[in-house]
Amino acid sequence: LNAASGRVPRQHVRFLPAPGDSGDTGLVAMRVPVLADHPLVRGPRFRRLKIGAGHRLDAKASGVFVLGIGHGNKLLTDLYNCHLTRVYTVGGLFGKATDDFSDTGKLVEKTTFDHVTREKLERILAVIQGTNHKALLMYSNIDMKTQEAYELAVKGLIRPMGKSPPIITGIRCLQFAPPEFQLEVHCLHETQQYLRKIVHEIGLELKSSAVCTQVRRTRDGVFTLDDALLRTQWNLQSIQKAIWDCQLKVKMELEKTLS
Amino acid sequence: ALRGTLRGTLRGTRPPPALRRGLAKAAGPRSVRQLREAEEAAPVFQYAGKAAKRKDRVFVWGFSYSGALGVPSFVRPDAGWKKPRRIQPTPYRLETAEKISSAACGYGFTLLSSSTPDIIKVWGMGLNKDSQLGFQRSRRDRTKGYEYVLEPCPIPLPLEKPQQTRVLQVSCGRAHSLILTDSEGVFTMGNNSYGQCGRKVVEDETYSESHLIHQLKEFDSRVVQVVCGQDHSLFRTKKGAVYACGWGADGQTGLGHYNITSVPTKLRGDIAGVNIIQVSSYGDCCLAVSEEGDVFGWGNSEYLQLASVTETTQVNVPRHLPFKIGKIKEAACGGTGNIVLTEEGNVFVWGYGILGKGPKLIETAVPEMIPPSLFGWSDFNPDVRVAHVRCGLSHFAALTNRGELFVWGKNLRGCLGTGRMEDQYFPWRVTVPGEVVDVACGVDHMVSMVKSFI
């Protein structure tokens, strides 16, 4: 970063003795670069970088992880206050129950799962969505008796804009091949361990048991997998390009929500 | 030490190993192979087999002091720590002996019926001051009957073939009830001061502790639906005709006059010759839906229920309501508001009261649609549709095809089941642990028939 050409040094007008004529005391106005902006005087432009992290992603999960650099940290706080949803792809396995709800934990119980069908799973998912939708309306702290609450509810814009327990705004089954299954979860204010717990509870509700094998965040607010940089792309040019591409999206989202 | 001195000359010999006990080595972290073996050796439990059937359950909620919820411990606590519960604000499971196929809520009482060939087919609970639940012999005094029945008690019906006849449907009004069977007509019990039971009005008859259950058989064809209004009864036959009897001062009998009728008489007016597929009533207004999707109304119109066709507040002849909202599948009438469901799955409300479109819409004569997004429809779930609509006296209920129950309206004594005591101005989900199959709305309580998830 420091090797890149920095800011163009400022110029100012100084009255310097005229070149060439020796002994002549005339001063000529000349535009010269400010000495204070000289690279040897100033030193390297970046000594430290302030990097902040967006929503947490724990060690066993993978996916989109938003970081802010410098001024971006303030934008991160604003994005947090927008309370946008995040989308996860959660993979699960029927037949086992472990103490930390993932497949690497200590085994608690093994159950049969041949009675589980896609239809039953989708019924349970519909119920989860229903109760979470109710929680969405309840934690949004809007008085339900007003006309504007009704209008927002019709448009589907009621959302908790403050602290709330984790809420799932949408959940559906992407793949079902017993014992494995994959869900797409849209949620708010969640932690990855909560998603693993949901997989465990789905197993319990289906009178079987389930553990979570994979949690992968595919979207965090406005940032999707397409904007994310792979491990091989963690170099300066890609990072700069990614920041440049996302600027417009972030600005529009902030304007829309916080206005 | 002895050994050391004896062998002191030998070099490079290791002292013999110390004696070890028979205990195994220390536990330590198990290797992956050991974990896998332990996992494979663990027993497998089965909680549900492949052919496990979904269980049928009944949930009740609302005002309980009349006994209408069927849980005696709410009214008379049977344990010291229990307190009397005046209102049950959220769904509460009611244990029933048989699978309940039809339920109806009246004004302070409930009837549950099952389509079983057993002798006991109908159970009733709640107010019994007019024998609307039949005669319930008191255990303390064999000559008297109970005025309040606190738990579901069997109602003995005078059937000719008790082990073959099946009860199809029950319906409850203010103080009378109707029971529809498949081959033995309709049985009516309760108050008959206006002829609503279909028999001649007897002057100064005492209706409490009465053993009389009247049977109605003479209709043009088999009766397929019975509906009770507040003090009148409607019968719909297989041929599509509608019969009525009872109180008629608001024209709710639809027979062209405002007197009482004590014999079920066929309705004429705009429904003469029309094949009616559904009738509905709960207060003093009645609606009928025809096969072609038209809706006809008669009765009380003080709350603009029929104001789209007439300015009069009482309509005593069925009138066609020319709404251009699509083919109508189902209609339900409440005390002051009406609700219909169209073939596309849209819900329309009109009338007076909390109609479900926010606190601003209090009355309308023309049906207004409730946006489907309030029933769970969204881009994420585009297949959600409303499957049934029901109406209580001042609240509405809608069932979706996903088995979710939405309620809105006046929350009289907790009848909505939302857990709060406030009125609900737009459809709100009721959390029921199961898929709701049917719901019956009363004045201040509701009963739902639910199938468990698995």
Side-chain angles (χ1 to χ4, degrees):
Chain A
L1 253 186
N2 286 328
S5 54
R7 254 188 244 124
V8 174
R10 291 169 289 178
Q11 307 263 351
H12 66 172
V13 175
R14 280 193 71 188
F15 294 94
L16 294 172
D21 305 328
S22 54
D24 201 335
T25 49
L27 294 171
V28 174
M30 283 172 55
R31 210 182 196 94
V32 287
V34 175
L35 259 184
D37 278 350
H38 196 274
L40 289 173
V41 173
R42 247 195 358 207
R45 190 165 161 213
F46 292 103
R47 260 193 265 237
R48 271 202 291 255
L49 278 178
K50 263 201 198 151
I51 299 188
H55 298 108
R56 286 197 197 125
L57 198 64
D58 63 11
K60 282 190 268 193
S62 59
V64 175
F65 187 37
V66 179
L67 297 160
I69 304 179
H71 170 64
N73 290 318
K74 294 201 191 77
L75 292 176
L76 271 183
T77 336
D78 291 336
L79 273 178
Y80 178 78
N81 292 334
C82 280
H83 301 283
L84 301 166
T85 57
R86 289 176 279 294
V87 178
Y88 288 82
T89 311
V90 175
L93 196 70
F94 283 122
K96 255 176 31 165
T98 53
D99 57 349
D100 67 348
F101 313 134
S102 75
D103 52 350
T104 50
K106 186 173 110 139
L107 180 73
V108 167
E109 194 183 56
K110 279 202 324 193
T111 56
T112 60
F113 51 88
D114 48 359
H115 63 276
V116 178
T117 61
R118 189 168 184 146
E119 195 211 325
K120 287 182 189 165
L121 179 66
E122 292 194 342
R123 226 182 279 150
I124 301 288
L125 296 181
V127 171
I128 291 177
Q129 222 173 346
T131 43
N132 275 275
H133 184 68
K134 204 169 136 179
L136 197 69
L137 299 179
M138 288 210 302
Y139 281 103
S140 62
N141 286 334
I142 300 183
D143 188 8
M144 291 298 153
K145 295 200 184 154
T146 54
Q147 184 69 18
E148 38 184 274
Y150 164 71
E151 265 146 36
L152 284 175
V154 172
K155 284 189 227 150
L157 290 179
I158 294 192
R159 236 174 32 218
M161 292 307 268
K163 268 192 180 302
S164 86
I167 296 182
I168 295 179
T169 55
I171 183 167
R172 67 169 159 215
C173 178
L174 293 175
Q175 283 171 31
F176 182 76
E180 290 167 4
F181 63 99
Q182 212 178 52
L183 307 171
E184 183 187 314
V185 186
H186 298 239
C187 38
L188 268 182
H189 304 159
E190 82 301 343
T191 54
Q192 284 78 43
Q193 191 60 13
Y194 180 76
L195 295 174
R196 292 191 192 100
K197 189 170 162 202
I198 290 284
V199 170
H200 175 252
E201 282 176 5
I202 289 175
L204 290 181
E205 202 58 54
L206 286 165
K207 295 224 179 107
S208 175
S209 50
V211 290
C212 176
T213 47
Q214 178 209 35
V215 177
R216 185 170 178 247
R217 191 190 275 159
T218 47
R219 186 171 67 81
D220 185 344
V222 281
F223 302 97
T224 60
L225 275 182
D226 304 324
D227 308 321
L229 296 170
L230 297 174
R231 182 70 183 83
T232 51
Q233 292 171 322
W234 290 4
N235 50 40
L236 182 61
Q237 281 77 24
S238 316
I239 294 176
Q240 281 180 327
K241 185 169 172 301
I243 295 177
W244 186 253
D245 291 335
C246 292
Q247 256 180 1
L248 185 64
K249 269 201 295 193
V250 172
K251 204 162 77 100
M252 284 185 45
E253 186 63 40
L254 285 178
E255 266 173 22
K256 200 170 68 161
T257 315
L258 290 180
S259 60
Chain B
L2 197 60
R3 262 200 233 115
T5 50
L6 277 176
R7 294 185 181 206
T9 50
L10 291 167
R11 289 216 193 190
T13 51
R14 262 194 280 142
L19 283 171
R20 281 190 191 222
R21 302 255 200 112
L23 294 173
K25 50 189 189 301
R30 296 163 116 185
S31 68
V32 173
R33 191 171 68 93
Q34 279 177 320
L35 283 172
R36 200 164 19 99
E37 280 170 359
E39 218 177 272
E40 268 153 35
V44 179
F45 293 93
Q46 187 189 52
Y47 291 106
K50 256 188 152 162
K53 289 207 177 58
R54 293 170 74 179
K55 296 183 198 33
D56 302 290
R57 303 202 165 117
V58 175
F59 284 86
V60 293
W61 61 92
F63 184 64
S64 67
Y65 273 0
S66 57
L69 296 189
V71 185
S73 57
F74 285 170
V75 185
R76 290 250 187 282
D78 45 11
W81 56 268
K82 285 190 190 167
K83 288 199 177 42
R85 212 183 289 194
R86 180 171 164 260
I87 287 175
Q88 174 56 36
T90 47
Y92 186 90
R93 170 124 177 256
L94 182 69
E95 304 262 353
T96 52
E98 300 266 353
K99 180 196 165 196
I100 301 295
S101 58
S102 166
C105 294
Y107 289 41
F109 66 105
T110 318
L111 275 186
L112 304 171
S113 81
S114 164
S115 61
T116 166
D118 287 352
I119 299 185
I120 301 173
K121 302 172 201 287
V122 187
W123 294 263
M125 54 250 205
L127 275 179
N128 198 22
K129 289 198 170 180
D130 287 306
S131 302
Q132 53 262 61
L133 306 174
F135 183 71
Q136 303 288 339
R137 201 180 291 277
S138 164
R139 267 183 281 193
R140 259 182 283 181
D141 184 352
R142 303 287 298 174
T143 54
K144 294 213 173 41
Y146 282 127
E147 270 191 347
Y148 291 89
V149 178
L150 296 182
E151 62 169 6
C153 287
I155 297 177
L157 295 174
L159 294 166
E160 272 171 24
K161 302 197 178 81
Q163 278 161 328
Q164 284 173 19
T165 319
R166 308 257 173 157
V167 169
L168 297 175
Q169 193 216 329
V170 282
S171 185
C172 302
R174 182 189 60 87
H176 71 295
S177 35
L178 302 178
I179 300 172
L180 173 65
T181 60
D182 58 353
S183 52
E184 295 198 33
V186 181
F187 290 90
T188 66
M189 341 184 266
N191 192 307
N192 194 42
S193 9
Y194 310 113
Q196 60 263 50
C197 285
R199 58 188 168 87
K200 197 153 165 299
V201 181
V202 174
E203 284 251 354
D204 299 327
E205 184 180 351
T206 35
Y207 297 107
S208 74
E209 297 171 11
S210 157
H211 292 253
L212 187 57
I213 299 184
H214 188 66
Q215 188 179 14
L216 292 167
K217 281 198 192 173
E218 291 88 35
F219 294 94
D220 63 344
S221 49
R222 196 161 67 82
V223 179
V224 287
Q225 190 193 358
V226 287
V227 167
C228 287
Q230 193 163 359
D231 280 311
H232 69 288
S233 313
L234 297 170
F235 308 85
R236 176 173 69 89
T237 62
K238 200 155 177 205
K239 287 196 179 157
V242 179
Y243 288 72
C245 63
W247 179 241
D250 276 328
Q252 57 263 58
T253 45
L255 295 168
H257 56 75
Y258 294 110
N259 309 323
I260 62 175
T261 317
S262 49
V263 172
T265 321
K266 194 162 166 173
L267 265 69
R268 302 190 53 77
D270 286 357
I271 58 174
V274 178
N275 186 10
I276 301 290
I277 54 166
Q278 199 234 338
V279 202
S280 166
S281 177
Y282 199 65
D284 288 327
C285 178
C286 313
L287 285 181
V289 177
S290 74
E291 205 179 354
E292 291 87 42
D294 298 316
V295 67
F296 301 83
W298 64 97
N300 191 8
S301 179
E302 285 166 19
Y303 302 100
L304 310 178
Q305 291 110 317
L306 308 172
S308 52
V309 283
T310 173
E311 292 272 320
T312 52
T313 48
Q314 275 87 17
V315 178
N316 59 5
V317 174
R319 296 285 303 271
H320 172 63
L321 301 173
F323 297 138
K324 302 266 182 301
I325 51 182
K327 189 168 167 200
I328 293 172
K329 207 164 69 161
E330 203 175 79
C333 282
T336 58
N338 297 342
I339 182 171
V340 289
L341 174 67
T342 59
E343 284 281 321
E344 297 103 54
N346 291 326
V347 173
F348 288 83
V349 286
W350 76 98
Y352 172 83
I354 300 177
L355 296 175
K357 290 193 70 159
K360 280 216 185 115
L361 187 71
I362 300 187
E363 60 173 8
T364 166
V366 179
E368 301 255 348
M369 184 167 100
I370 297 189
S373 57
L374 289 172
F375 293 113
W377 181 92
S378 69
D379 298 326
F380 208 70
N381 309 312
D383 311 322
V384 177
R385 293 252 180 295
V386 176
H388 296 286
V389 284
R390 303 268 181 267
C391 210
L393 201 62
S394 47
H395 63 279
F396 301 89
L399 291 173
T400 61
N401 55 359
R402 284 222 187 154
E404 288 178 324
L405 173 63
F406 287 84
V407 291
W408 65 99
K410 231 175 153 29
N411 197 1
L412 193 58
R413 298 187 276 270
C415 63
L416 290 184
T418 52
R420 301 182 310 221
M421 288 295 138
E422 295 130 24
D423 302 332
Q424 185 58 35
Y425 291 92
F426 57 90
W428 188 262
R429 236 182 221 96
V430 177
T431 316
V432 180
E435 199 183 300
V436 184
V437 173
D438 202 3
V439 70
C441 303
V443 171
D444 53 11
H445 71 291
M446 280 168 81
V447 170
S448 61
M449 273 133 349
V450 167
K451 262 185 141 78
S452 69
F453 290 125
I454 295 293

